[in-house]
Amino acid sequence: MKKYFYLLLFSSGIFSGAKIFAQQDPQFSQYMFNPLSVNPAYAGSRGMLNGAIVYRNQWTGFDGAPVTQVLAINAPSRKGKVGLGIEFVNDKLGPKNTTGAYLDYAYRVHLGKGKLAFGLGAGLLDYKVNWAKVEYKDQSDPYAGIGTTNITHPDFKFGMYFNNKNFYCGLSFTHINREAYTVVKDSLTFSSVTSLHKFFTIGRAFRINDNLLFSPSLVIRSVGGIHEGSADINLNFRFKEIFWAGLSVRTEQSLVFIFQYNITNHIKLGYSYDMTMSKLRTYQSGTHEIVLGFDLNLFQSQVMSPRFF
């Protein structure tokens, strides 16, 4: 089989006759600039219409490596207690293509000097595998005759998010209904289970002087048990409220270099490069991620959280 079929098996949770648990959700290096993709409770927290378009090309040069596109938009209600969001996600990995569409709802309450939000995301997740794109050593392999499988199920996520002027933290869960995507054809059973994913994020902003801001953050991702996951420790700096530069260290033996430029007061462009330090580096040339973000203060409200969040 082609290399990407092995990658598909071990990265997407596909199994036949046995269960494989692995990271199924797309992994983003610039999570701090697109929190809605991690936590539905973030919706409306900036006090303005906020959105991001994300393109991620992982493990460039590796056959069938993940390619992900995201569109995420959120805004508060006029009174600010409710936030609404919408997300579209397309994630391609070898012969597998996963497409999701979600509506997010968040409700915020005052807590101390900040606000605590509870959020729920509900949508549809379409799971498609084109088995004809797999190259088999044995053409009599029974999976060669399956063709294309395509299944759609509802999908839900839940999150909590607290933020004040200089601090934020969040806890979220995706695929809380843990749907099973199963196809039975003749004597074959093809099945994939969406495992419960857990995300914890925390960040703080420190004003060094009028021209320099230091904003460290942390994200912990977990699938299944506590030892099945990864973490990013990020150190970001903002210069003159125009340019961001940062470095992340990932437990999966990767270094991530992050840059963002505020084109205008309303539009920003971010780029990150993941450099793999493991043996996988000999088969690919790194990961590229581009984020185009925008802010529009529709209600001319007083924004509680600063723009660096």
Side-chain angles (χ1 to χ4, degrees), residues 15 151-154 177-183 190-194:
F15 64 90
I151 311 173
T152 303
H153 281 309
N177 52 321
R178 308 186 196 187
E179 282 285 354
Y181 292 71
T182 304
V183 173
F190 165 80
S191 186
S192 179
V193 177
T194 48

Side-chain angles (χ1 to χ4, degrees), residues 265-298:
N265 290 334
H266 306 290
I267 301 174
K268 51 195 175 185
L269 179 65
Y271 169 78
S272 64
Y273 175 77
D274 300 16
M275 183 172 67
T276 303
M277 309 302 293
S278 67
K279 293 181 180 180
L280 187 62
R281 69 180 182 274
T282 60
Y283 301 99
Q284 46 86 32
S285 55
T287 297
H288 304 275
E289 183 178 293
I290 300 172
V291 177
L292 179 65
F294 58 88
D295 292 306
L296 296 174
N297 197 353
L298 298 179

Side-chain angles (χ1 to χ4, degrees), residues 2-294:
K2 289 184 178 180
K3 289 184 293 183
Y4 66 63
F5 185 51
Y6 293 110
L7 181 67
L8 169 67
L9 288 174
F10 292 101
S11 298
S12 66
I14 288 179
F15 64 90
S16 176
K19 291 185 178 180
I20 295 175
F21 295 98
Q23 177 88 22
Q24 296 166 323
D25 287 353
Q27 179 172 262
F28 300 106
S29 296
Q30 299 178 71
Y31 62 88
M32 70 292 291
F33 299 135
N34 182 32
L36 189 65
S37 292
V38 177
N39 192 335
Y42 179 79
S45 67
R46 284 180 68 87
M48 60 180 71
L49 177 68
N50 167 251
I53 301 172
V54 182
Y55 174 82
R56 180 176 174 85
N57 189 344
Q58 188 168 331
W59 302 333
T60 305
F62 199 108
D63 288 344
V67 177
T68 306
Q69 301 93 25
V70 175
L71 171 63
I73 301 173
N74 70 95
S77 63
R78 184 174 292 276
K79 294 184 178 180
K81 290 185 177 181
V82 172
L84 298 175
I86 185 170
E87 300 174 68
F88 298 98
V89 182
N90 183 64
D91 186 45
K92 184 174 177 57
L93 174 59
K96 179 184 72 70
N97 198 92
T98 305
T99 304
Y102 298 89
L103 293 176
D104 299 319
Y105 174 90
Y107 185 81
R108 236 173 315 282
V109 296
H110 286 278
L111 182 64
K113 295 183 179 181
K115 291 185 177 181
L116 175 64
F118 300 88
L120 178 66
L124 294 174
L125 192 63
D126 181 78
Y127 191 93
K128 182 178 181 180
V129 178
N130 185 353
W131 294 94
K133 291 186 176 181
V134 178
E135 183 177 310
Y136 299 90
K137 289 184 179 180
D138 182 3
Q139 294 301 316
S140 64
D141 190 311
Y143 281 94
I146 291 181
T148 300
T149 58
N150 193 350
I151 311 173
T152 303
H153 281 309
D155 193 54
F156 300 96
K157 50 188 176 179
F158 171 80
M160 297 176 287
Y161 183 82
F162 173 83
N163 72 304
N164 58 30
K165 185 177 180 180
N166 299 304
F167 172 81
Y168 71 89
C169 66
L171 178 66
S172 59
F173 307 86
T174 63
H175 314 306
I176 57 178
N177 52 321
R178 308 186 196 187
E179 282 285 354
Y181 292 71
T182 304
V183 173
V184 178
K185 183 175 181 180
D186 299 328
S187 60
L188 296 175
T189 298
F190 165 80
S191 186
S192 179
V193 177
T194 48
S195 301
L196 181 69
H197 289 51
K198 299 172 281 290
F199 299 87
F200 174 75
T201 56
I202 187 169
R204 180 73 160 83
F206 300 92
R207 175 71 67 177
I208 306 301
N209 55 47
D210 290 342
N211 294 321
L212 182 62
L213 181 84
F214 174 48
S215 181
S217 63
L218 168 72
V219 59
I220 299 175
R221 314 171 187 88
S222 178
V223 185
I226 190 172
H227 300 295
E228 301 176 50
S230 66
D232 288 14
I233 301 174
N234 173 262
L235 304 176
N236 256 344
F237 295 88
R238 189 183 70 178
F239 304 93
K240 295 185 178 181
E241 306 199 9
I242 295 176
F243 182 73
W244 286 89
L247 174 68
S248 294
V249 179
R250 182 170 298 149
T251 55
E252 296 175 330
Q253 301 184 48
S254 295
L255 290 177
V256 182
F257 302 92
I258 299 175
F259 307 93
Q260 186 186 87
Y261 178 69
N262 293 342
I263 300 173
T264 70
N265 290 334
H266 306 290
I267 301 174
K268 51 195 175 185
L269 179 65
Y271 169 78
S272 64
Y273 175 77
D274 300 16
M275 183 172 67
T276 303
M277 309 302 293
S278 67
K279 293 181 180 180
L280 187 62
R281 69 180 182 274
T282 60
Y283 301 99
Q284 46 86 32
S285 55
T287 297
H288 304 275
E289 183 178 293
I290 300 172
V291 177
L292 179 65
F294 58 88

